[in-house]
Amino acid sequence: MNSGILETAKNDLDRNGFLDIAVDPKLDLFVEIEKLKKEKNAVILAHYYQEPDIQDIADYIGDSLGLAQEAQKTNADMIVFAGVHFMAETAKILNPTKKVVIPDFKAGCSLSDSCPPPLFQKFKEQHPDHVVVSYINCSAGIKALSDVIVTSSNARVIVESFPKDQNIIFAPDKNLGAYINKVTGRNMLLWNGACMVHEIFSLEKITRLRHQHPNAKLIAHPECEEPLLRMADYIGSTTGLLKYTREDDATEYIVATETGILHQMEKASPEKTFIPAPPDNSCACNDCPHMKRNTLEKLYLCMKYELPDIIMDESLRLAAKKPIDRMLEISAAAGL
């Protein structure tokens, strides 16, 4: 490649969020990525919400808890994180000496953005007798202000590990926090944040779908709003939803979470039918625009040139690591 093209792409990295370099369409990217894995001792960690091609080339596919656990134990020299920015940050927090790259640096998160650290710091100061339990879908700055991190897989267990009279702030997802309040009987103080993907589902369209598919079960992620959760036959984390569809006897499911998980559901249960719950717009399914910024081409380029990479201030990393370590310890003790 012309060195000038690469330098231009590097110079434009902050603006674009990725290396804007044309990839030869004749390249077999699956083959090339496998070569790069071996050459660089790299591991690809991918979230369930990634596009199918990325899921198929990944070494590990999981939800936030599984990805954090995998990042903690990897022996790779380079972690290629196919997800959103806060997930790659978490991998860097746990692996300061490893290179962590992400296909598109601008793959952000509406939920994470809804909780700016300076505002949350003031909110926390107003409630000094509260411990802070934060959902992993937040920035390193929020993690550093937290006492323990949770995921949708372990939030109930971790919240119940505190004495019942302990005051708790739950951030940033108000819907997940409200669901945990309901199932634990707690009264946590909730930060007013939400995930755009899980708040956009149309109750009217889902109700219509249920009439069209009377035998289908509605399964939902706890980040969804409470009226939808009341309708659901099963509520669980992304991994929990996948496991439920594998083990349950039904043959049809309406799935109220990001559509990327349907790829794994269809692979695990090809004889079953999975219908994406429709959003309240003109689209038929609900994709996360941030997750879908990552493509196979961008993943190949970030592996080849090891950019964009995650750089983090060490004091921030250490502060953010403490509540993640606590989460991993409680999860391990609980067998999660």
Side-chain angles (χ1 to χ4, degrees):
M1 178 200 292
N2 185 311
S3 60
I5 294 174
L6 179 58
E7 286 308 307
T8 298
K10 287 180 178 178
N11 291 336
D12 291 342
L13 194 56
D14 286 343
R15 178 166 58 85
N16 293 328
F18 62 96
L19 288 170
D20 190 9
I21 298 171
V23 176
D24 184 347
K26 296 191 293 296
L27 274 183
D28 185 330
L29 291 181
F30 286 93
V31 171
E32 296 302 317
I33 289 169
E34 289 294 345
K35 287 180 186 174
L36 288 169
K37 279 188 201 177
K38 292 173 183 173
E39 288 172 14
K40 297 174 182 279
N41 187 26
V43 63
I44 300 175
L45 307 182
H47 194 274
Y48 285 125
Y49 297 166
Q50 293 297 290
E51 64 174 45
D53 280 350
I54 291 178
Q55 292 187 41
D56 289 343
I57 197 68
D59 298 291
Y60 178 83
I61 310 160
D63 62 7
S64 296
L65 175 59
L67 290 166
Q69 290 169 328
E70 200 67 22
Q72 183 190 42
K73 67 185 183 185
T74 184
N75 293 318
D77 295 320
M78 183 167 76
I79 299 172
V80 184
F81 213 111
V84 292
H85 187 267
F86 77 79
M87 296 177 178
E89 267 191 342
T90 302
K92 187 65 176 181
I93 290 166
L94 294 169
N95 295 277
T97 62
K98 298 181 189 297
K99 175 155 280 194
V100 178
V101 297
I102 184 170
D104 192 322
F105 201 78
K106 291 191 176 181
C109 172
S110 59
L111 176 56
S112 179
D113 292 345
S114 72
C115 193
L119 291 181
F120 187 74
Q121 172 78 50
K122 292 179 181 177
F123 181 75
K124 178 182 175 181
E125 288 169 356
Q126 292 168 4
H127 306 280
D129 59 334
H130 287 58
V131 298
V132 177
V133 175
S134 293
Y135 188 28
I136 199 169
N137 296 24
C138 64
S139 67
I142 295 300
K143 289 181 175 72
L145 293 169
S146 303
D147 294 288
V148 63
I149 299 301
V150 302
T151 71
S152 51
S153 295
N154 62 22
R156 179 174 184 169
V157 167
I158 289 177
V159 167
E160 288 183 331
S161 73
F162 288 98
K164 288 186 177 180
D165 60 352
Q166 173 64 62
N167 292 320
I168 298 173
I169 292 172
F170 189 91
D173 192 284
K174 62 182 180 182
N175 294 319
L176 177 59
Y179 173 73
I180 298 301
N181 271 343
K182 182 178 179 180
V183 297
T184 63
R186 302 286 177 130
N187 186 29
M188 297 185 296
L189 183 61
L190 309 180
W191 177 265
N192 188 28
C195 164
M196 61 183 287
V197 170
H198 291 99
E199 282 217 321
I200 201 173
F201 289 116
S202 165
L203 291 179
E204 180 184 347
K205 290 180 182 178
I206 291 172
T207 301
R208 197 179 307 142
L209 258 185
R210 297 193 86 178
H211 283 296
Q212 294 167 358
H213 302 271
N215 296 320
K217 287 188 175 180
L218 173 62
I219 60 175
H221 194 282
E223 284 183 51
C224 295
E225 293 181 306
E226 201 268 339
L228 190 154
L229 295 180
R230 283 203 308 267
M231 296 169 59
D233 296 291
Y234 176 78
I235 301 165
S237 67
T238 315
T239 296
L241 296 177
L242 177 58
K243 182 181 179 184
Y244 181 79
T245 60
R246 279 201 312 262
E247 298 176 355
D248 184 61
D249 293 335
T251 58
E252 266 189 305
Y253 301 88
I254 299 167
V255 184
T257 190
E258 212 274 352
T259 57
I261 188 59
L262 269 67
H263 182 57
Q264 293 302 316
M265 289 178 173
E266 288 164 352
K267 286 174 70 173
S269 305
E271 76 286 0
K272 297 184 179 184
T273 301
F274 301 97
I275 307 160
D280 192 16
N281 56 33
S282 59
C283 298
C285 60
N286 203 8
D287 287 343
C288 172
H290 303 289
M291 287 282 188
K292 295 305 194 279
R293 284 186 70 96
N294 297 319
T295 64
L296 200 62
E297 289 78 11
K298 289 178 183 177
L299 188 145
Y300 163 72
L301 290 168
C302 86
M303 287 186 77
K304 184 175 176 65
Y305 299 108
E306 301 184 11
L307 288 171
D309 59 338
I310 304 294
I311 307 296
M312 188 173 298
D313 174 78
E314 182 64 4
S315 60
L316 173 62
R317 187 192 73 79
L318 289 171
K321 186 174 184 291
K322 288 180 183 177
I324 297 174
D325 285 342
R326 190 171 182 189
M327 173 191 76
L328 293 170
E329 288 164 9
I330 296 171
S331 296
L336 297 175

